Amino acid sequence: MRIRLIFVTALISIWSIQSTFAQSNKPIANASGIQFFEGTWDEALALSKKEGKPIFLDVYATWCGPCKMLKRNTFSNAEAGKYFNKHFINVALDGEKGDGIKMARKLNVQAYPSLFILDSNGNKLMTKTGYIQAKELIKFGKQAMARGTKLAVLN
């Protein structure tokens, strides 16, 4: 009986340590940076239509160094987050998995990272490839918003 109690206590201790370790290694969402939508591509399109916002799409690859730098340095920037969270539905897709494969083909992605501004139907308004800093990303977003407004007036 005593051996069982020791065994159960040891298992519970190991489980507690493992749970704590696993939780501490989870990425922490940067509340001040760009917040990316976590649903499917179709859900992002529907949300874009509902909110009347264009889509900012980051097509990346897990092995891509510049993609990792974008996430770490540019997307976590508070100023970029404030601008993009207000004006866009932000989506990040792995170009080699799931919906990302379809979108990479549709948008003819030739390199990673590829950044797109799309209308709520998924039509390309602007594209930028490679690593950029936060100020350049905001400028890209503002250019796309101006271009989108002009297109809306023409239609």
Side-chain angles (χ1 to χ4, degrees):
M1 180 75 168
R2 186 175 179 134
I3 293 174
R4 270 192 192 168
L5 182 61
I6 292 171
F7 181 73
V8 170
T9 304
L11 282 177
I12 291 172
S13 297
I14 291 170
W15 178 78
S16 296
I17 291 169
Q18 235 177 355
S19 295
T20 302
F21 181 74
Q23 287 175 357
S24 66
N25 285 331
K26 287 182 181 177
I28 298 170
N30 185 350
S32 64
I34 296 174
Q35 300 299 306
F36 287 91
F37 179 73
E38 295 186 14
T40 66
W41 177 248
D42 290 334
E43 291 169 341
L45 286 173
L47 184 60
S48 172
K49 288 176 184 174
K50 177 182 174 188
E51 293 191 9
K53 294 180 180 180
I55 296 171
F56 166 62
L57 174 62
D58 167 36
V59 181
Y60 67 92
T62 57
W63 49 263
C64 166
C67 301
K68 292 175 186 178
M69 287 175 50
L70 262 179
K71 287 181 183 177
R72 183 175 54 246
N73 302 329
T74 305
F75 296 160
S76 64
N77 179 276
E79 192 176 336
K82 183 177 178 182
Y83 184 79
F84 276 81
N85 295 337
K86 179 178 179 181
H87 296 285
F88 296 95
I89 302 301
N90 305 301
V91 179
L93 295 175
D94 184 337
E96 298 177 339
K97 293 181 184 170
D99 286 339
I101 295 170
K102 176 180 75 171
M103 290 310 298
R105 286 184 186 140
K106 177 183 176 185
L107 297 169
N108 196 28
V109 169
Q110 300 293 312
Y112 297 113
S114 288
L115 307 174
F116 299 93
I117 304 293
L118 309 168
D119 67 16
S120 60
N121 293 315
N123 299 314
K124 191 179 346 177
L125 299 175
M126 288 185 66
T127 306
K128 194 158 214 47
T129 303
Y131 176 79
I132 58 175
Q133 294 187 8
K135 287 184 181 186
E136 190 177 351
L137 181 65
I138 294 167
K139 182 179 176 182
F140 173 66
K142 287 180 178 181
Q143 289 171 337
M145 291 299 289
R147 180 182 240 182
T149 302
K150 289 176 189 172
L151 289 174
V153 170
L154 294 174
N155 290 332

